Amino acid sequence: MKAKLRVPEIEKTLTIIKQLEKAQEEAGEEATLDTHYNLSDVLYARAEVQCSGTVCLWLGAQVMVEFTYAEATAWLEKHLERARARLSSTDEDLQHLRSNKILTEVAIARVYNYDIKRKKAVNGHSDDAGVEEEKTTA
């Protein structure tokens, strides 16, 4: 599940870096970008971001690293590719488990039905005798 959340987050970050890069190319070294960012689920704040040519990426485990736009883009694209591969692999594994679950359920049903037939045979009941008795009483 983590991979499902990671892919859109990486794509969003790549988009933001490309916007910063584009703003810097158009306006030069002193470029600023007005934006809104979310502080929580429903609360946004307005910010003015300096396009300085570097971004800081939160890598996790309380680690933040400063990258140039090109380095950040390359790093994120590499991790996006890995996340998509991991997500694809996980989806394949889940599909395999679903099909094995169905096969197991069918096997359990067959064993259960066999056990019922065996118990009826031990008690002297047969399926055909029950049907014939119903026909004669009707």
Side-chain angles (χ1 to χ4, degrees), residues 68-86:
T68 64
Y69 293 151
E71 290 172 337
T73 301
W75 190 85
L76 287 168
E77 286 174 349
K78 181 177 78 174
H79 283 279
L80 179 62
E81 186 179 316
R82 283 186 194 163
R84 284 183 177 152
R86 219 177 269 146

Side-chain angles (χ1 to χ4, degrees), residues 64-119:
M64 185 177 281
V65 178
E66 186 174 6
F67 291 103
T68 64
Y69 293 151
E71 290 172 337
T73 301
W75 190 85
L76 287 168
E77 286 174 349
K78 181 177 78 174
H79 283 279
L80 179 62
E81 186 179 316
R82 283 186 194 163
R84 284 183 177 152
R86 219 177 269 146
L87 182 60
S88 174
S89 174
T90 302
D91 285 342
E92 289 173 9
D93 291 346
L94 284 173
Q95 185 61 32
H96 178 72
L97 289 173
R98 284 186 194 110
S99 67
N100 281 345
K101 176 186 169 207
I102 292 169
L103 289 174
T104 303
E105 288 172 350
V106 168
I108 289 171
R110 286 181 179 169
V111 169
Y112 178 77
N113 290 339
Y114 172 77
D115 188 44
I116 290 175
K117 277 186 174 181
R118 187 185 58 78
K119 285 180 181 177

Side-chain angles (χ1 to χ4, degrees), residues 14-31:
L14 275 168
T15 304
I16 292 168
I17 291 173
K18 289 178 183 173
Q19 285 178 339
L20 287 170
E21 207 170 16
K22 183 179 176 183
Q24 185 181 18
E25 287 174 2
E26 290 175 357
E29 204 53 42
E30 297 298 321

